[in-house]
Amino acid sequence: TMWLKPEEVLLKNALKLWVQERSNQYFVLQRRRGYGEEGGGGLAGLLVGTLDAVLDSTSKVAPFRILHQTPDSQVYWSIACGSSREEITEHWDWLEHNVMKTLSVFDSNEDITSFVQGKIRGLIAEEGKGSFVKEDDPEKFREGLMKFEKCFGLPEQEKLVTYYSCSYWKGRVPCQGWLYLSTNFLSFYSFLLGAEIKLIISWDEISKLEKTSNVILTESIHVCSRGEDHYFSMFLHISETFLLMEQLANYAVRRLFDKETFENDLVLHDPLQITKRGLESRAHSEQFSAFFRLPKEETMKEVHECFLWVPFSHYNTHGKMCISENYICFASQDGSLCSVIIPLREVTGVDKADPANRGVSISTKGKTAFRFTEVRDFEQLVAKLRMKCNATSSPQHIINTEVAASSASDSPKDFDAGPSKMGQRDNSKTVSTEALMTVYHPQDAENLDSKMLKEKMKEQSWNILFVERGHGVSMFRTKKTRDLVVRGIPEALRGELWLLFSGAINDMASNPGYYTELVEKSLGTCTLATDEIERDLRRSLPEHPAFQSDTGISALRRVLTAYAYRNPQIGYCQAMNILTSVLLLYAKEEEAFWLLVAVCERMLPDYFNRRIIGALVDQAVFEELIRVHLPQLTDHMTDMTFFSSVSLSWFLTLFISVLPIESAVNVVDCFFYDGIKAILQLGLAVLEYNMEKLLTCKDDAEAVTVLNRFFDSVTNKDSPLPPAVQQGSNLSNTKSDHPKVDITDLIRESNERYGDIRYEDVESMRCRNRLYVIQMLEATTKQNVLRVVSQDVKFSPSDLEELYELFKKEHFLSCYWNVNSPVLQHHDASLPYLDQYRIDCQQFRVLCHLLSPWSHCANRDSLALWTFRLMDESSDCLINFKQFACVLDTMYNGSFTDKLKLLFKLHIPPAFTEVESLSPSKGGDLSKEELIHFSQLSVSSVGYSLESDSLKSSPEKGKGKVDIQAYLKQWQDELLKKEENIKDLPRMNQSQFIQFSKTLYNLFHGDPEEELLYRAIAVVTSLLLKMEEVGRRLQSPTSPVKSPVTVTEVPAEIPRKGQEESSFEQTEGSKAQSLRGNHEWSFAFEQILASLLNEPAFVRFFEKPHDIKVKIESAKHLQLKARSRV
C-alpha cells in the first residue's frame, strides 16, 4: 500500500469500474470491481479484468484505493492505493485517526483540499526518506540538509540529526511542513499559499516537552519555550520523533546547564558526533542499564527475542535477552515479572542446546544452567558469547567447571567477596569487615522470643527461594521475590540482598581492592567536604549504640571521605550521612561504600550535587502523580509547592529521616528492589492514608503536623531490634490519638494501590520534569540578577530583561558549536547569581555591535575592546551582566558628563591599549585571536588604580562566607566613589589624546551636523594645546619652546566633506609634530570637559536620546546571523 501524489479523478465513468466500500465526509475507500467477488463479479467484473489485462501490465491497477472529496465538490483526488484490504484499511484508519477531526477547523473546502494534498505529499516524502539516517540514504539526507541550511541560515557547524513531515498549529489552523531536529535547535518550516512560517527554538529554552492529545489532535507533541506553546501533530512515527526530541533536549540541558554530570560523559562531549542512530541506541542503553542496575559504562550491544526455561515453574517465559559488554540479561514480557542477570565473569560454558528449537545453554559457577530457545541466529550468538567468555565446551573445560563450582563455598556471597577480602588482609587496621549490626546486636540462637521466631521463619522462606531460584547475582527474580521483599528482608540477609538488588555487587566485583586504596589516599586530606563530614558525623543516627562508639563513627568517616574523594563533583551533601549510617548497619564497610555509589550515581542521579536537581525532578514527578491519583487533594490544595517542601526529605533520605529506624529499613529494602518507584508509591500511600485529615487542614503548618504525627505512629511489630534501638517503640506507652500503623501493611498497600505505575513511565516523567526544573532554577537566577541590577540602571524592567536574555543567549551561542568550548566553563550554577553567567571579550564585541549606540563607529572593535578592559576589574577576562548593563546604561541614559567621562576613561589605562591590527587591509576590524590577545594584556603602568563608577560588583548577600570587614570597607568605598571627583582622573597623554580625537571623528561620521562637529574638534584641540603651551611657559619661562604656529592654523584647514580623510591625517600629523618637542604634554579631564561644553554641537550630539528598544528588537533577529558570520 502506498500514499499517492494527489491527482484528480473523474467519477462519472469510474463508478462502473469501482465499488464503494467505506466513506465519510471527506474520504472514500473503493474496491476494483471483480476483485475478491465470487464468480469474478459477472459481466462488469469480466470487462474490468479484460481492460486491466489489455492495458500494459506495468499499469496494472491496484485493487483498492482511497479518494479525497469535499462535500459539495464534484472533483475527487486519489490519495492512496493498496493491494489488499488489510493494507488499505491501515491507511484508512490512519486518516480517520489523525486527519478527520482536524478538517472540521477549516472554513473553506479549498483550504481542506490544499491541506490534505500538502499532508499526503509530506507523508510520501517522509516514507521516501524511510528510516533514513545519513548512512541509509545519503542522497535524500543531502536534499533535506540543503533545505535546512537554506531555510534557517544557521552556521554550517549546526548538525542536522533528522527531519520529519508534520503539521504545526498556528492558532486553530494546522500548517503542513517539515520539522528539523539538529544538535542545538528545533526548527520548523512551512510555505503554503504564499505564507511562510519559520520557527527556530533552541533546546536550552524549552521548559516543557510532552506528548499530549485533545479533541482535535489525537496525538501531538507540545513544546513550551519562553512561555509560548507550540503544537506539532500528524507524525508518521510520533514515538520515534518524541524519543529523539527528548534525547536532544536532555543532551543540550546537560551540556549547557549541568556540567557536573556532563563532564563524566564522554559520549556527549562532541556535538558533531551526534547521529539519530547514536541517540536512539543511547536511549535504549540508558534504559537497559538502569532497569538491570548495571554499571553506567555498560552499553546494550544486541537484543534477541526468545524464551527462557523457568525450571521451578516448568514453563518457557517469553521475553528479551539483552547483551552488553559484560552481562547477559533477560526480562520477560508476558507479565510474569521474571528477570535474570548473568555477569560474564560468572559464566563457565556456552553451548548449543536443542538445535531443533534453536537453543542456547549458558552454565554458570553457581551450577545453574540457563536455557534460552527460539533465538534467531543462535549459532552465531553461541560463537560470539564463547569469544566473549573465552569459553569452549571442550571436555577439559567441563572438569574445570566442576572444580570451580566445588571450590566456591555454598554461599555465593563469600565467592563474590573473595578478591576484595584478599586486598583487605593487610589493611585490617583501617577497614572494618563486619556489618555493625552483627557487632552490636548478635542474634541469640538459644533463646528465641516470638519476634525472633518470626524472623527465623522469614529467613526460612528466603532459603527455600534460594534453593529453588538460585542464590547470588544470577538468581531468578520473579513476583515471589518482590512479595518477600515487601514483607521486609530478614536482618541477617539484608546487607547481602541490598548489594544484589542494587547492582552494587557488580561494581564491587569489577573493582577489587579499589575501596581500601581509596581510603588510604583520602584519609587525612582536608577539604570543604571533609570539614562538613566531621561536623555531621555525630548527627547520624545518634541514638544507635553503633554510632555512639568510635567503631561506627570511624567507619562512617572513612566511607564518606572515600566517596568525596572518588566523586569531587558531589563531594559530600547532607543526607548522605544518614543514608550511609543505615547502610553500615547491615553491610560491611566496603559493601556500604559500593551501595552509596549505586545510590548517588545510578539510582538517585543528581540528588546530591549542590542544587539537588535530581531530588527536585523527582518531586515534580511526585506532584504529577498526585494530580493523577489523588485529584481530590490537588483540588483542595491551592498551592502544590506544599508537597514539594514536605516531601523533599522523603526523597533525599528515603524516608529514613522521618520514619523510626526499624520501619525505615523496610522502605530501603523496597527501594533497592524497585528503585525510585518504591518511594513514589509509598509517598502516595502516605498521603492517601491521611487524606481525610489533610482535607480539613486550613494551612500548611497543620498539614505538616498531621504527617509528622502519622510518621511517629508507624511501627514495625515484627522488628527483632532491641527496644533501646527502636525509635517507634518509645511511643507505645504514651497515649497517642493516632492509631498505630504497621510499616509492612503500609508498604503492601502502596504496592497494591500504585504498583501499576510503570518503571518506563517514571523515567520519561523524570526526563520531562528535568527540563521544567532547570528552567525554574534559571528563572530564579534571572529574577535575582535583575533585582540587583535594576537598582543601578535607568532601563525599564522589560528592556533590562530583554538585555539579560541577549546576554545569556550570547553565552550559549558560543557554546553551541565549540566541541570543548572554554566558554562552558564561564557558567557555574553554584556561584552567586550575578557570576553564574559571564562573557569574554569576543562575546562582548558581538553584543556591543548589536546594541551600542556607538556601533557605527569605524574603530568600533577597538572601542569594544577598551570598554571590555575598563569593566574587567578582576582581570580574569570575563564580565558579568551587571557590568555589561551599567556600561550600556551610561551610553544610553548617562548625562553629557557621564558619556564623556566614559569615553575619556576608554582612552587611558587600564582600558586603553595600543591596537594595531595584524592585517592592515581590514581597517579597524580585529580578528577573534587579536581581540582575545589584546583583552588579556595586563596594564602597563601600575600607578593607575582606576575605580569605575557603578561597576564594582558587590559580594552577594547570603551566598558563601562573606567577610564582614571586607564588605564594610567596600561599602565605604562605594560611598566615597559616589562623590568621585573628576579631578582624581589621571591625565591623558598625547598619543592617547590623538586616539581620543580619532574616536570622536569616527563617532561623528554620518551625523547631520558632521561639519560643525569636525570644526568643533579642531577648535577644541587647538585651544587645549594653547592652554597647555601657556601652562608650560609659566612653569619654566626659560625653556625655549617652538611657537605652535602649525597648530593655530588648524582651524583654517577644516575640510569640506570630500576631503575629510586626507586633511584629518594632516591635522593629526601637525598636532603630533607640535607635541614632539616635549613628551610630557598631557590633558586633564576637566580641561577637555570645559572646552567641549563650549561647543553646542557637541553637547547636542551627546544629549541626543537613543531608543534601546529598536536596537534590542533588531539584535534578537540578528544575533544568530552575527554568530554565523563570526
Side-chain angles (χ1 to χ4, degrees), residues 833-938:
Y833 292 123
L834 254 183
D835 295 326
Q836 285 184 19
Y837 287 104
R838 300 192 296 162
I839 58 174
D840 63 20
C841 194
Q842 162 66 10
Q843 296 159 309
F844 175 72
R845 164 169 69 173
V846 176
L847 285 174
C848 227
H849 293 356
L850 290 171
L851 293 166
S852 159
W854 302 341
S855 57
H856 61 280
C857 195
N859 63 339
R860 61 187 195 159
D861 276 2
S862 312
L863 265 186
L865 167 70
W866 296 329
T867 313
F868 182 84
R869 285 173 58 96
L870 178 68
M871 290 182 291
D872 175 23
E873 297 175 327
S874 50
S875 302
D876 56 2
C877 300
L878 295 171
I879 61 165
N880 64 27
F881 178 69
K882 183 177 179 184
Q883 296 165 319
F884 170 74
C886 288
V887 82
L888 268 186
D889 188 58
T890 307
M891 293 176 184
Y892 277 96
N893 305 319
S895 64
F896 174 74
T897 313
D898 292 336
K899 291 178 185 173
L900 203 64
K901 195 197 295 177
L902 174 64
L903 275 172
F904 182 85
K905 285 180 176 178
L906 294 183
H907 292 82
I908 53 175
F912 181 75
T913 176
E914 289 290 346
V915 175
E916 289 288 327
S917 175
L918 306 177
S919 43
S921 58
K922 277 181 161 172
D925 292 354
L926 298 171
S927 71
K928 182 177 172 183
E929 289 67 32
E930 290 167 354
L931 194 73
I932 297 294
H933 164 72
F934 286 129
S935 71
Q936 290 168 347
L937 289 179
S938 57

Side-chain angles (χ1 to χ4, degrees), residues 27-200:
F27 300 103
V28 186
L29 193 159
Q30 298 179 330
R31 172 177 51 79
R32 191 85 168 148
R33 223 179 252 289
Y35 180 84
E37 289 175 29
E38 290 295 315
L43 194 60
L46 271 174
L47 177 70
V48 174
T50 315
L51 260 175
D52 288 356
V54 169
L55 290 169
D56 172 18
S57 60
T58 53
S59 69
K60 223 175 169 42
V61 181
F64 293 94
R65 70 179 183 180
I66 297 176
L67 306 178
H68 161 62
Q69 56 158 27
T70 50
D72 47 3
S73 157
Q74 291 310 302
V75 180
Y76 284 70
W77 300 81
S78 61
I79 57 173
C81 67
S83 53
S84 74
R85 186 174 270 110
E86 289 77 47
E87 288 183 354
I88 201 76
T89 309
E90 256 183 49
H91 279 46
W92 178 264
D93 291 345
W94 193 90
L95 289 168
E96 284 210 315
H97 192 64
N98 284 287
V99 181
M100 269 303 292
K101 291 180 184 162
T102 306
L103 297 180
S104 59
V105 307
F106 288 103
D107 299 333
S108 75
N109 289 334
E110 285 79 46
D111 287 353
I112 290 180
T113 301
S114 72
F115 177 76
V116 170
Q117 291 180 354
K119 183 75 243 166
I120 301 300
R121 288 201 182 98
L123 291 173
I124 294 170
E126 170 86 7
E127 281 188 328
K129 81 183 174 80
S131 66
F132 86 101
V133 187
K134 215 168 186 172
E135 304 87 286
D136 300 351
D137 188 349
E139 262 319 296
K140 273 273 182 285
F141 190 82
R142 197 169 301 126
E143 208 174 290
L145 185 62
M146 281 169 64
K147 222 163 143 190
F148 170 68
E149 287 175 346
K150 193 173 131 225
C151 290
F152 302 104
L154 293 167
E156 53 203 38
Q157 307 98 303
E158 181 61 16
K159 185 169 192 290
L160 177 63
V161 176
T162 184
Y163 59 97
Y164 297 99
S165 154
C166 73
S167 304
Y168 169 64
W169 289 76
K170 202 154 174 61
R172 288 179 54 80
V173 182
C175 311
Q176 173 54 34
W178 290 92
L179 179 73
Y180 295 89
L181 307 181
S182 56
T183 31
N184 299 295
F185 300 94
L186 172 160
S187 322
F188 176 83
Y189 184 81
S190 137
F191 183 80
L192 271 184
L193 308 173
E196 183 180 59
I197 293 177
K198 202 184 280 192
L199 191 68
I200 303 181

Side-chain angles (χ1 to χ4, degrees), residues 578-642:
I578 297 175
L579 179 64
T580 311
S581 50
V582 174
L583 299 176
L584 279 166
L585 288 179
Y586 293 98
K588 298 174 182 172
E589 191 177 318
E590 179 177 17
E591 296 169 344
F593 170 78
W594 286 113
L595 280 167
L596 185 64
V597 169
V599 172
C600 295
E601 293 171 25
R602 287 205 311 273
M603 298 181 74
L604 299 179
D606 279 4
Y607 258 58
F608 299 105
N609 52 25
R610 297 187 188 104
R611 298 194 289 170
I612 58 168
I613 287 177
L616 297 174
V617 169
D618 283 346
Q619 280 183 300
V621 171
F622 186 48
E623 274 181 34
E624 208 172 307
L625 290 170
I626 296 173
R627 284 194 193 95
V628 175
H629 295 280
L630 307 171
Q632 60 276 52
L633 244 190
T634 30
D635 297 343
H636 175 69
M637 304 297 289
T638 43
D639 183 10
M640 289 292 279
T641 52
F642 164 71

